[in-house]
Amino acid sequence: MYIKVSIVKYTLNKGGGHITTRKDVARLAGVSEATVSRVFNNIGPIREHTKQAVIKAAAELQYTPNALAQNFVRRRSGNLGVILPLLPKVHLFSKYYFAEILSGIGQAANERGYDLLLMFASIEGNLDYLRLFHARKVDALILLGRRDIPEDRASISALLEDKHPICLIGQRFAGLLADSVDADHITGSYEMVRHLVRSGHRRIAFINGPLEYSNSEDRLAGYRAALLDHDITFDASLIFEGNFSRKSGYELAHTIAGIHEHIDAVFASNDRMAIGLIQGLNELGISYEDLTVVGYDNADIAQFCNPPLTTVEVPLFEMGQLATNKLLDRMSGKLIGDPFEEKLPTRLIIRSTNI
Amino acid sequence: MYIKVSIVKYTLNKGGGHITTRKDVARLAGVSEATVSRVFNNIGPIREHTKQAVIKAAAELQYTPNALAQNFVRRRSGNLGVILPLLPKVHLFSKYYFAEILSGIGQAANERGYDLLLMFASIEGNLDYLRLFHARKVDALILLGRRDIPEDRASISALLEDKHPICLIGQRFAGLLADSVDADHITGSYEMVRHLVRSGHRRIAFINGPLEYSNSEDRLAGYRAALLDHDITFDASLIFEGNFSRKSGYELAHTIAGIHEHIDAVFASNDRMAIGLIQGLNELGISYEDLTVVGYDNADIAQFCNPPLTTVEVPLFEMGQLATNKLLDRMSGKLIGDPFEEKLPTRLIIRSTNI
DNA sequence: TACTTTTATGTACACGCGTACATTTTACGT
DNA sequence: ACGTAAAATGTACGCGTGTACATAAAAGTA
């Protein structure tokens, strides 16, 4: 009779497989459930003899604590949420950009026992971040590639208000004091422009990205600072705007070609635009020997194109790592105080031989 | 007195914020907890009046069901696990490859109410997949970029034995009958070689990837079939092996250069190797006008290099989508029976004008 | 030995939800 | 008006774990 009841119970679990629980281990080891718990959580004083008995019983039964129950009772998911823009539509950054950052996040999270919960948000931002916390789906959140639009601003603002641990990577929202990690694009651009000036260029056009991304502002600031430091007058007519896509660089070729005799170089804010521009200029009969073009990001393509592109390396992997570690520090209480705004150093990569 | 107890309880929750539960909503709406549950799960007959009262109370309290509790009691995590190789070390495929597939997975999973749990496994495979299921961390698993080595074979075999829902993308393990999704590389390669033959090439060298990846076998099969159908004798001395990296293509340039007068074209199994080869050949004074080089994958770089590369498009995004949908169908019982081995069609992309 | 302190283990409950089952209310037919 | 079926709602419990508290065993002390 008892056996039958038992069988019925077991078969209730789909697949017919019995879920081994703490109770089973306790019974086999001849101890209480609490003791099993203690062994698995390494808590309190336990006699070595007892501990081994539990470990042996657990091994025998192939017991693994149910993470669902653990998370539930601990009231934490163990998940680090990562919001990515819906990639297929993204032209903003290359997929390389996200893959690198994500790797950094993944490595750091893994080291600290957190899992990565990946969420794709349409770029319009219809995802209610706050709900993720309310539902306890994530313990902390990293936001990537969000645009500075009212909806997102409101969502992020709500998160900050409730003091949920979040971190932005590669962007900031003016007026919103949030933890963030970025590369030092001001210095990155500064060094690039300085390099151009030192190698004899004085009239340097600048293809910026949309100003609704904070890093566009930063690059512009670096550009201007470098000119200023070398006594070159800033000329607004040399500033152009693309949208980070190769196409937008390509389409600017006509404009650039029109003034190419009045400029020495073009600094594009990312490699894709630089490559598009070079291609466009080529078709218009302007080779890279006539006009220096440099990029930014050190994307994969930068080294394979013709000529290899001088660019600025951005430590994407490290940015992901740092953001994760600081965020988890924040959660554990190891890090307190005002929001941080980390800026990792960039590195100038000189490839073309003609500059 | 009662109030004081209440306050104490609330303050127990870290951060001082009270967690709104079903009980709170029930009390405010003047119904039982079960009724609240019913409203949120859309279960059973409920009077419209009651329903609205619950919805109103929930809104007022900003109630969101605790996903942790839900998952626990439902005994499912709601997570779709995705195993990625530790990207920084990966040369095998480009990051583009994974980003695309991941997007497809993410989109499909999202549509069906599943979250993506991302896990990076070192390529040596020290991750115990089985434990993920035992711990109930994931309900299903998608495996990407695993190598055919004993450890992984054993792990995957154990998963299949216990009938856990898993799906491989872009690979298969001979002898292991697992659900899998891939592109039809046999036809893809066949069509590329046929194209080369039809445009006048007859002696076509083939740079394959390591044969421990099933898609290498497939491409070779397509290559051979195309030759056969056009009465060209297969010549094993025209087969080379790279490791999918640009460098390996570059390093093969010397070898290819040595025989370039005896061949008309080189078919590389991916774009990166093709580009490396082109670069190497260039340095040896062999231009693409002397020797046709084509690639595979239609990676980003394929269209930017010089000359733009003729290649084969692989529907990565769709592969991710399909794998996810079939996997979730399998779980829900909508799909039963033998393991599927889906092969999505590829598409020849002709870019270079000289072939 | 008898008492106290420390160490080791057991007991019991809460976490927030889904849901089987019991109960109450409403609708319907006569 | 009454009985019965259907609809609506409530009651009660279990899911598997962490852990506060109670208890038992061991170690120390006088």
Side-chain angles (χ1 to χ4, degrees), chain B residues 109-140:
Chain B
N110 189 45
E111 273 174 14
R112 302 181 58 159
Y114 270 80
D115 288 316
L116 240 50
L117 201 65
L118 212 62
M119 338 202 61
F120 295 94
S122 79
I123 210 149
E124 295 85 32
N126 56 4
L127 194 64
D128 186 354
Y129 311 130
L130 200 53
R131 185 165 296 270
L132 293 176
F133 283 100
H134 278 169
R136 297 281 183 290
K137 281 206 172 197
V138 302
D139 300 331

Side-chain angles (χ1 to χ4, degrees), chain A residues 95 100 115 137 246 304, chain B residues 95 100 137 246 304:
Chain A
K95 292 158 207 222
E100 280 296 312
D115 288 316
K137 281 207 171 194
R246 192 189 60 87
F304 302 138
Chain B
K95 291 157 208 222
E100 280 296 311
K137 281 206 172 197
R246 192 190 60 91
F304 302 137

Side-chain angles (χ1 to χ4, degrees), chain A residues 270-347:
Chain A
N270 79 343
D271 294 332
R272 297 173 75 88
M273 290 197 292
I275 284 168
L277 176 65
I278 290 174
Q279 192 173 327
L281 289 176
N282 253 323
E283 292 176 7
L284 297 172
I286 302 172
S287 94
Y288 63 89
E289 282 154 14
D290 304 322
L291 182 62
T292 300
V293 177
V294 297
Y296 201 98
D297 275 356
N298 191 27
D300 269 5
I301 38 172
Q303 59 179 307
F304 302 138
C305 62
N306 187 17
L309 205 58
T310 290
T311 186
V312 175
E313 185 187 69
V314 180
L316 300 170
F317 185 86
E318 289 76 11
M319 285 161 61
Q321 266 187 320
L322 183 65
T324 306
N325 281 323
K326 295 213 100 179
L327 191 52
L328 296 183
D329 283 349
R330 180 75 88 187
M331 286 181 53
S332 69
K334 204 154 70 180
L335 174 66
I336 51 176
D338 290 340
F340 58 82
E341 286 205 356
E342 292 283 340
K343 302 265 186 192
L344 294 188
T346 57
R347 195 164 65 92

Side-chain angles (χ1 to χ4, degrees), chain B residues 63-124:
Chain B
Y63 169 71
T64 307
N66 184 327
L68 261 35
Q70 287 182 319
N71 293 339
F72 171 50
V73 70
R74 287 176 179 150
R75 285 134 120 194
R76 36 151 278 180
S77 65
N79 289 336
L80 173 60
V82 179
I83 307 285
L84 289 177
L86 203 59
L87 286 178
K89 291 181 182 166
V90 150
H91 303 294
L92 166 54
F93 305 102
S94 66
K95 291 157 208 222
Y96 172 82
Y97 178 89
F98 292 109
E100 280 296 311
I101 294 179
L102 202 52
S103 300
I105 295 172
Q107 204 223 315
N110 189 45
E111 273 174 14
R112 302 181 58 159
Y114 270 80
D115 288 316
L116 240 50
L117 201 65
L118 212 62
M119 338 202 61
F120 295 94
S122 79
I123 210 149
E124 295 85 32

